[in-house]
Amino acid sequence: MALRDSQLALYQRCPRRFFYTHVLEIGGRRSETSFMKMHDAVQKVIDVATVAEDGEFSREKFDAAFEEAWVSHGPADHGYSKEYKQIALGLIRYLEESTKGYKVQPSPQLRLPVSGGCGGEVVITPDQVVSHPSGQVIMRKVRTGHRSDKENDGIAAAVFHLAATAHTPGCKVELVHLSDAEVTPIQMSATVLRNRQATVTTISENIRAGHFPLEEGTACPRCPAFFVCGRLPSGPLVKKISG
């Protein structure tokens, strides 16, 4: 069984949301607002910024990638499109600034084996891999929004750190939050990393066992699965595929 780092984080927040989203695939999506479309356009530029062919990413390339993404994914037809675009450009400028002086490298697919008897692995793809002129390799996850209070020491950050340093010993691992104009190193003690890895094993075992408890909280009304969430019937899940 292969899990993504984002799936682990979702299960840790709400096992039932994981069940609806990734097992039943009926979780749905939130209404796509113009604000979300703006962030989607910026995310597309992040995707392009990981594949600079010659190792350099100039302002002209950033701008060209942004203009294309804005037409295809941004709120280009919104009444406040100009204002949204200015906000998005500010995020792009910080992405450009944080990349300046580095060589951009292709992003490898990282794989972290899950310990214990359940087997499986966690698959992580960095949003950006850059190298300093000194030769130091830096692997990054880039977020368009703001940093949450516990994000830099959560389970997703931990598995990213473990997988990145196993793939490239001695590399730095960072989180970039464009809305905060901030780069945060992921730094955890060996004890914390062991504890997070044990949590990964527990989550993997729970998923294999079909354990998706309902944990009600203040965030529930904002969940796309809010109106279908409830008591689950007992017994195995069988998908019927009509032929």
Side-chain angles (χ1 to χ4, degrees):
M1 179 175 65
L3 294 168
R4 297 192 302 274
D5 51 337
S6 59
Q7 292 175 322
L8 286 172
L10 178 59
Y11 186 96
Q12 190 176 43
R13 290 199 308 274
C14 179
R16 186 62 62 82
R17 173 80 179 272
F18 176 94
F19 176 69
Y20 289 130
T21 303
H22 297 294
V23 180
L24 294 185
E25 299 180 346
I26 61 170
R29 293 190 62 184
R30 297 176 181 175
S31 298
E32 193 173 55
T33 64
S34 297
F35 187 74
M36 291 173 62
K37 289 181 179 180
M38 179 196 74
H39 280 276
D40 286 345
V42 176
Q43 182 61 52
K44 290 299 175 182
V45 179
I46 294 170
D47 297 342
V48 173
T50 65
V51 292
E53 295 180 357
D54 56 3
E56 301 287 350
F57 217 100
S58 65
R59 170 163 292 195
E60 291 74 18
K61 290 182 179 179
F62 269 103
D63 288 349
F66 174 69
E67 291 298 332
E68 183 177 343
W70 189 255
V71 172
S72 60
H73 291 83
D77 57 351
H78 191 273
Y80 288 100
S81 177
K82 181 179 179 181
E83 287 75 13
Y84 278 120
K85 192 172 186 179
Q86 286 301 313
I87 297 172
L89 278 171
L91 303 182
I92 296 299
R93 289 291 173 254
Y94 184 73
L95 175 62
E96 175 193 348
E97 185 65 28
S98 68
T99 309
K100 190 176 298 182
Y102 295 98
K103 291 286 186 181
V104 179
Q105 301 181 3
S107 294
Q109 190 175 73
L110 309 176
R111 295 181 179 274
L112 180 69
V114 177
S115 58
C118 64
E121 60 185 3
V122 183
V123 180
I124 309 105
T125 303
D127 292 308
Q128 191 178 62
V129 178
V130 296
S131 59
H132 189 269
S134 66
Q136 173 80 64
V137 174
I138 304 170
M139 296 199 188
R140 293 171 165 174
K141 282 284 188 176
V142 183
R143 304 287 186 247
T144 63
H146 295 283
R147 180 171 65 89
S148 62
D149 292 338
K150 299 180 179 180
E151 186 176 355
N152 62 328
D153 66 351
I155 191 168
V159 296
F160 180 33
H161 183 283
L162 288 165
T165 53
H167 182 276
T168 307
C171 73
K172 291 179 65 177
V173 188
E174 298 177 340
L175 298 177
V176 181
H177 292 86
L178 303 183
S179 292
D180 297 321
E182 182 178 82
V183 177
T184 306
I186 299 177
Q187 297 174 329
M188 300 182 186
S189 67
T191 300
V192 170
L193 289 171
R194 281 197 301 271
N195 290 340
R196 299 290 185 274
Q197 197 155 23
T199 300
V200 172
T201 301
T202 300
I203 290 175
S204 298
E205 291 173 345
N206 286 343
I207 292 172
R208 282 186 178 276
H211 185 56
F212 305 103
L214 174 62
E215 298 179 2
E216 296 183 4
T218 57
C220 287
R222 300 194 298 272
C223 176
F226 179 68
F227 291 104
V228 297
C229 191
R231 183 179 178 182
L232 297 177
S234 60
L237 172 67
V238 179
K239 289 189 177 183
K240 294 183 178 181
I241 302 175
S242 59

